[in-house]
Amino acid sequence: MADRVKINTESLLNIELPFIKVPYEQLRRLNKLCQKHIERDGAYLHTALDKSLTPTEARLADLDAIIARAAGLQVKLTDLHAQEASYVASSRARLDYLQHVADMATADDPRWREYTQGRLVRMTIDYLLRKNCVAAARLLAQETGLEALVDLALFDEMQRIEAGLARGSCAEGLQWCSENRSALKKIKSRLEFFLRLQEYIELIKQRKYMDAHAYARKWLVLWRDEHMQEIEHAMGLLACPVATTTCRLYQAMLAPEQWQVLRDEFRANCYALHSMAEQAPLVLTLQAGLTALKTPHCGHPGDIHVNCPVCRTQTLGTLAQRLPQAQHVNSTLVCRVTGRVMDDNNPPMVLPNGFVYSRDALQELAQNGDDGPITCPRTGAVFRLSQARKVFVT
Amino acid sequence: MDKILPEFEKVAKRQKIAARESDKTLHDLVAQLKQARARLAASASSSSSSSVSASTAPPPPPTQDAGASADASSPLPPVDIAVVVAELQKIVKDAMAKLQEPHKEVQAGLYKYGRAIEKRFKTDVNALWDPDVLRERSDLLDLAIAQTFVREGRFALHDTFQREASLAPSAADDRALFEGLFRMLGALKAGDLEPAWQWVAQHSDALAALQSTLAYRLVSWQYMTLLQAGAWEPAVTYARQQFPRFRDAHGDAIQRLMGAVLYRDRLAQSPYADLVGPERLAQITETLTRDFCRLHQLPTESLLETAAMVGTLALPTLIKMASVLKPGVAWTQTSEMSVELPLINRVRYHSTFVCPVSKEQGTDANPPMLLTCGHMIARESLNRISKGQMNSKIKCTYCPGETIASQAQQLYF
Ligand SMILES: [Zn+2]
Ligand SMILES: [Zn+2]
């Protein structure tokens, strides 16, 4: 009984975008960083040479500093290149992985099971990482040997930035924004504005009104086209009694919960930047799977199948409650004894009591040979094999 | 993939070149700077100061330490500082240009690779997401994941996850059960059949009821192990004691096992190699796991794996369907799907009856009925066709057969 169900591999690979995009965005970021270091250190070397080595003055100590800077650039670039190499390697591993399954045609291809099993592990790790269960995610990646195919490093980076936000620091987030500026622009990110706004609000909270004012003039105005309203609200804070304000809007802006809002905004931006789904693909995939499996019989006493995920009311079955049941165009009869789908080779047979079993099953149940007595496994009623009639499935 | 891979390989190659070349460029730059320093240091060595001054030096800037300008008439340096500086500026300039270049190459490669990626992969799955389904129930998913870890024998992982996600302690008996299973499997892998034997002995009646082949498989593995160790006489004695009780069910296989005696000194190269190979042990492991789960009425397959596999198969259809849905309407907000999702036979756990007349799925209230010709129809369709007259004759939609409505029989799948 082959499962010649067709697989839409083309469409499946389409949803693997983040799988390739994550290491790609890292490569882009690292390349930009390399260039930035080269530019910055190059400019430094030029001015330092100009200053310290005027035709008339040559201070060896300054020259030593210049040499150290050049050597430092070498160390920095070596480190960045090593990071790049690791993302090149994981990109290759991921592309090879997809290439390996790109020509699967039907679900009886042994690669199909391999692919879906691997995909489940990858999705589980992603789910764990999104829940901040980092140690569990790392352990699962180690035990399954799939480290190159999951985004442990990306989530480490995210945690580092979120830890900054959790202790009231925007610096890490702003640094991240500047490293990913062009990609963030493409997804119309507002994160940088919100971070700047928060830094401004912190100055207000500390009652450094002059500093806040200067900060707003330097940074917030850059967004006047997109965020005029928010900027005006922010400026209003300058005239508000921070500790005693009863204005809901100002209270909200000054509330410590803003930091959580920023963390959520950062997460959403980071997912979008890497074309990752807003919610864990594991959940989405399980929704699809439970729907496809859901029948009116699931969970009914007497119909429960131990291997059916929807029948498992303790866990997945309850998740399936809010999902639609599958649509079927044709009848498919499954033999209760053999557990296999009945077809022309092993047709369904009905006993006089209306209970249907496959022919193979009845022959197996028939004791003492050809027309031996058969005990209906569900009712205990006893019949002869010759009393069973064939049922036609249409 | 054919368009992406070449673009990726270009990036990979250029990245390697950039890494190698910039390392060399900076290495050379540092060497040249050091060289220049050495020359300047040599020329200044006669001077007591750490500064080298040309004879035409203007008064020192205020930052300079007091002693440095003490001797403006010290011996003239043998190097022309202006030349050295000009040289160094050019060296730095060239080096920076040389550094930038391969990085620009990488950048250009990444740009093209990025374009190729976006062309190849382009599905937004966010539209498929319905947040309501999991609302306040994510703990059930966590529990399902934790149970999967236990059934895979990943106990340390289970504990780590439980701690990190602060899950309520899950059913302890399942955990203890599977720990027992994995102890047996571990021993089996190490060549120790004893724990498995003990378990088989403890549950011999239940295993017999399940028509388990485990005992037979263990006996034959033990026999082959003896044979392979060169103990062929004990092997045969063991066979004579153990095999007879399996003769009915496994007669042919036992004959083959006995045939292996002929090749006892070179089994691995014989036609009987499969009887001692790792696949054989894998089979025993699988049988043991399966029978263990059956005996304890636990799923023999991972439920999470089944749901994820079916879901992966269904996603393309869902994506297509969602692309024509009205915005704001989730695909989950209906009681039955409007399209059929692909499903493989291996994971069909329940019969589905679809009435050929009404195209509706059978339910308890509207069950399948068997006509005397052997075709099936839903009860409501039968009533409609017979207009409720129990003794009216109705014609089958599939064959010329006719059935008296009252003779139609309810079916149970
Ligand atoms: Zn079910
Ligand atoms: Zn008929």
Side-chain angles (χ1 to χ4, degrees), chain B residues 39-51:
Chain B
R39 273 157 69 199
L40 292 173
S43 80
S45 62
S46 50
S47 154
S48 62
S49 92
S50 65
S51 129

Side-chain angles (χ1 to χ4, degrees), chain A residues 303-314:
Chain A
D303 287 334
I304 289 176
H305 193 297
V306 70
N307 278 338
C308 174
V310 186
C311 285
R312 183 75 159 188
T313 47
Q314 188 198 4

Side-chain angles (χ1 to χ4, degrees), chain A residues 3 13-14 50 53 64 84 92 117 127 131 135-136 278 307 322 331-332 334 352 354 356 378 392, chain B residues 9 15 37 85 89 103 120-121 126 132 142 154 164 300 305 335 337 345 351-352 354 374 409 412-413:
Chain A
D3 272 324
L13 291 194
N14 266 337
D50 274 343
L53 257 124
D64 283 338
E84 273 183 355
R92 179 171 284 123
Q117 282 173 341
Y127 177 82
K131 271 184 87 88
E278 288 160 29
N307 278 338
R322 292 175 190 163
S331 299
T332 314
V334 181
V356 177
R378 277 177 283 174
F392 297 101
Chain B
E9 287 306 336
Q15 193 276 332
R37 187 203 183 278
V85 169
Q89 285 288 24
H103 286 95
R120 174 62 187 82
F121 304 100
N126 286 329
D132 278 344
D142 291 343
R154 303 185 194 279
E164 276 187 312
T300 53
E305 204 173 293
S335 63
M337 290 297 287
N345 280 341
S351 296
T352 43
V354 180
Q409 182 186 19
Y412 303 87
F413 299 121

